[in-house]
Amino acid sequence: MSHHYIPDEWKIIEDNFDPADNRASESIFSLGNGKMGQRGNFEEDFSGDTLQGHYLAGIYYPDKTKVGWWKNGYPEYFAKILNAPNWIGIHVQAEGIPLDLAKIPVTNFRRILDMKKGILERSFIAHFPGDKKIKITTTRFLSMADDETGAVKYTLHPLNKPVTLKLTPYLDADVQNEESNYGEKFWEEEKQSITDGTGIILVKTKKLNFRVSTGITCLFEVNGKRTVPATEWKVQPKYIEKEYTVRAGKGDTVTVYKYAAILSSLYYDPKELIRSTRRKLKEAENAGYDHMLTSHCRAWDALWQEKDFMIGGDLPAQQGIRFNIFQLHQTYTGKDERLNIGPKGFTGEKYGGSTYWDTEAFAFPFYLYSGRREIARNLLLYRYRHLPKAIENAKKLGFTGGAALYPMVTMNGEECHNEWEITFEEIHRNGAIAYAIYKYTGYTGRYDYLFDYGLEVLIALSRFWSQRVNFSVPKQKYVILGVTGPNEYENNVNNNWYTNYIARWTLLYTMESIEEIKQTAPEKWKTLKQKIHFSEEEPVRWKKITENIYFPEDREKGIFLQQEGYLDKEQLTIDQIDPSNLPLNQHWSWDRILRSCFIKQADVLQGLYFFEDHFDPDTLERNFTFYEPRTVHESSLSPCVHSILASRTGNPEKAYTLYLRTSRLDLDDYNKEVAEGLHITSMAGTWLALVEGFAGLKIRNRNLYLAPSIPSHWDFYKFQIRFHNHTFIFLINHKEITVDHYGDSGLTIYIYQQEYMVPPKEKIRVPVK
């Protein structure tokens, strides 16, 4: 764990430059606007360790699978979000010497991510030979007001001597992914267009033929006055640049404004891309940098008005949650149902930028609770649109009759993960998709999605579970064999408790939903039944399975067993491990990990978190007390679940410790891997640790329940949610809970199990227990 960044309520501040930390800082200082993202790379050259990264939502490449032993059912490719053309670059020379922070000494280095405004700022003094000192300041943003544009303001200020400067803004499409399986470059150039002061490169991806048009235009100022460079654009294959040379005196200010427009064939006719890119660039140039920045900041201000989570009296905790919320909204805005949330978002290449079960299990509730329901609905529609592919995926593995197995990793609905223990065995992912449908229906109080789309998905999932179980004669129970649960430090186990439980629950919820549509919308049911060739015999088998499925448990200890045979392992706890061995996945062999009792992330406890109301408090506490000390939290998804359960089992100190870990997982680099990118989907879990943990928010029978607690050293916390089209703002301190209601009609909520009618546009106060 490191403490590299200065605590601040609204900013992430780095006040020194260490090249060894550069990749990690590039991840931390990433920017995005939902449609694209840019790692915190320098504009000027840097020959040290760096991961140059600019990524576009929905644009990917099917990189051919690379495995040592091919198995039937393996996907043919691993989808990868592409490192897109580099638009931020500016070569800088002083007296012919390149500015390269790996070679030129710098002082007074300071880098700031202003989360309130969504801008990245940097300043430093570069010490060139001949004792020439130049102060450099940069500001960059990807516009939230116009999500196809970005801008850079790059300023040089000679401090002590005149200097000849050569500035060369450029656009480089000759880029590749560091994690390319075969070292292949994925872009082919189609056309360059240099006209009317703009430079544009149109590229397409190999195989899938996505097209991306990236354009730049640059303006130069000396001491605030516009100047026009004498040079023309220079072109090379996949590359264009424009040079500007100026003799700057001591105290002069030289500024480059660089505007970019990035458009893709996801949203434009390929034939119109270059023309539309040029139009966007001209709009940006005419608007000017200051106007663009103002519009961008206003868009962020509007977001923060709804999404902010305030914590009084704990600066690291406050900084942590705002950083998490900031990155979540940079990654996904909910405007396009074709898009989803990759575990690294736009901050790195690991996991390929693809969709995992993380979305439904962790990210979905954040967007559901904190924003317009259409945003969460689009995440559900993403999966509905992929249902035919999920059925095809199941068919490849031998399932029939419209059974669906959603992919563990996907861009377009096809499975593209190529580790057998994940691809074939981590089937609990189906359950998370069913659970998201359940959460949406209960939280919004609406059946429209369930009846129009969700029930079709639920039936396909239930058909899968019905075939995936088999009847064990010795046990006289239905069992599920050969699986990997959420704890990926176990593979190919039998009767993973969480998998069995969520399979059973999915069958029950599907049958309940069928009865609901029969009563409420019989014509819709008739249409769906015909579409999917549904037989009334199917629920008969489902019911039989739900009544007789096997759940491993240890009655003496009063716990559910993670899987059969779990207690055969040597039972140790984390405090018995030499700290130098952590993280285990970076120090132990895979064989040793698999034979150990240690748990990567919540497994049994994931099920208890989802279905807490199915169990009594003693059962929750016994299982939490047993499993948490064996959990190494080496998945970013782990601390948040444990923090919530610690809150709910009366362990506030543990809840706070785990909250701080999940909220600052990347800022403090707990797992020593932030250089690979941020943990975007787990950031939603940070918000859940506060709202479902400390605030105790639950939905029961489509009613809103709270049971707030507050860490002893906090002064207060405050947050906003939308529930059934009602907006509530909750303020909790050590004395009382204040509920501000902005709905047009009264609504009943429950606080500490007590019923309260909150009138429209009024507030109530309730003492904290």
Side-chain angles (χ1 to χ4, degrees), residues 461-463 465-467 469-471 476-480 499-512 538-551:
L461 299 176
S462 292
R463 286 170 166 173
W465 289 122
S466 177
Q467 296 177 48
V469 304
N470 65 274
F471 189 76
Q476 288 294 295
K477 294 279 187 181
Y478 288 97
V479 296
I480 303 180
T499 302
N500 287 22
Y501 199 88
I502 207 162
R504 175 181 180 270
W505 173 85
T506 301
L507 294 169
L508 289 169
Y509 179 51
T510 304
M511 291 188 287
E512 175 188 318
E538 293 183 75
V540 174
R541 173 170 168 80
W542 299 349
K543 187 173 187 294
K544 188 175 180 182
I545 293 168
T546 63
E547 291 173 346
N548 204 30
I549 193 168
Y550 177 70
F551 296 107

Side-chain angles (χ1 to χ4, degrees), residues 16-24 42 46 48-50 101-103:
N16 65 81
F17 177 61
D18 183 347
D21 296 326
N22 184 58
R23 277 208 185 208
F42 298 151
F46 183 70
D49 187 28
T50 181
L101 268 65
K103 298 176 180 178

Side-chain angles (χ1 to χ4, degrees), residues 431-546:
I433 292 167
Y435 190 73
I437 296 169
Y438 165 77
K439 291 282 281 190
Y440 179 85
T441 304
Y443 195 81
T444 62
R446 298 171 63 96
Y447 285 97
D448 54 342
Y449 180 83
L450 178 65
F451 291 170
D452 292 342
Y453 306 103
L455 183 54
E456 186 177 348
V457 173
L458 291 173
I459 290 171
L461 299 176
S462 292
R463 286 170 166 173
F464 171 82
W465 289 122
S466 177
Q467 296 177 48
R468 188 57 172 81
V469 304
N470 65 274
F471 189 76
S472 165
V473 174
K475 287 184 171 66
Q476 288 294 295
K477 294 279 187 181
Y478 288 97
V479 296
I480 303 180
L481 308 178
V483 302
T484 297
N487 171 28
E488 293 171 340
Y489 287 176
E490 300 275 7
N491 300 151
N492 201 36
V493 302
N494 293 335
N495 294 309
N496 171 259
W497 183 88
Y498 171 77
T499 302
N500 287 22
Y501 199 88
I502 207 162
R504 175 181 180 270
W505 173 85
T506 301
L507 294 169
L508 289 169
Y509 179 51
T510 304
M511 291 188 287
E512 175 188 318
S513 299
I514 289 172
E515 292 305 309
E516 189 72 46
I517 196 173
K518 284 180 178 179
Q519 297 296 320
T520 307
E523 289 303 312
K524 287 188 176 183
W525 172 238
K526 181 179 178 181
T527 300
L528 177 59
K529 189 176 176 180
Q530 291 173 347
K531 176 183 178 182
I532 63 175
H533 307 292
F534 183 82
S535 168
E536 293 294 345
E537 293 301 312
E538 293 183 75
V540 174
R541 173 170 168 80
W542 299 349
K543 187 173 187 294
K544 188 175 180 182
I545 293 168
T546 63

Side-chain angles (χ1 to χ4, degrees), residues 580-730:
S580 67
N581 285 341
L582 298 174
L584 296 183
N585 58 24
Q586 296 176 25
H587 294 90
W588 282 14
S589 69
W590 192 241
D591 169 74
R592 187 178 180 187
I593 289 174
L594 290 175
R595 288 186 288 108
S596 79
C597 71
F598 296 118
I599 300 168
K600 180 183 180 185
Q601 68 191 80
D603 197 305
V604 168
L605 297 184
Q606 183 75 40
L608 297 182
Y609 160 59
F610 275 175
F611 304 111
E612 178 189 347
D613 289 343
H614 296 189
F615 306 99
D616 61 69
D618 288 344
T619 299
L620 294 174
E621 186 169 1
R622 284 195 304 272
N623 281 275
F624 182 81
T625 301
F626 180 81
Y627 283 110
E628 197 283 327
R630 291 163 170 77
T631 304
V632 291
H633 303 297
E634 289 175 11
S635 165
S636 64
L637 303 173
S638 184
C640 62
V641 173
H642 290 83
S643 178
I644 294 167
L645 290 176
S647 289
R648 294 184 176 181
T649 55
N651 193 337
E653 294 81 9
K654 175 67 74 173
Y656 175 76
T657 298
L658 289 166
Y659 160 74
L660 206 61
R661 176 167 182 153
T662 189
S663 70
R664 301 190 62 85
L665 182 77
D666 292 321
L667 288 175
D668 295 338
D669 202 7
Y670 274 84
N671 289 348
K672 302 177 184 178
E673 58 187 14
V674 75
E676 299 172 341
L678 305 180
H679 297 84
I680 300 298
T681 45
S682 74
M683 289 178 170
T686 299
W687 193 87
L688 295 175
L690 293 168
V691 173
E692 294 186 339
F694 294 138
L697 184 146
K698 299 179 186 177
I699 306 302
R700 288 179 179 153
N701 300 318
R702 299 183 183 171
N703 291 311
L704 181 64
Y705 285 75
L706 281 94
S709 61
I710 180 169
S712 59
H713 63 290
W714 287 8
D715 298 328
F716 69 90
Y717 60 97
K718 181 180 181 181
F719 65 97
Q720 176 175 316
I721 64 166
R722 291 171 63 92
F723 177 70
H724 289 195
N725 277 339
H726 295 254
T727 297
F728 290 96
I729 297 177
F730 298 99

Side-chain angles (χ1 to χ4, degrees), residues 50-69:
T50 181
L51 175 61
Q52 179 69 42
H54 173 56
Y55 309 104
L56 306 178
I59 305 297
Y60 68 97
Y61 179 80
D63 201 9
K64 184 179 178 182
T65 298
K66 191 172 186 178
V67 293
W69 178 24

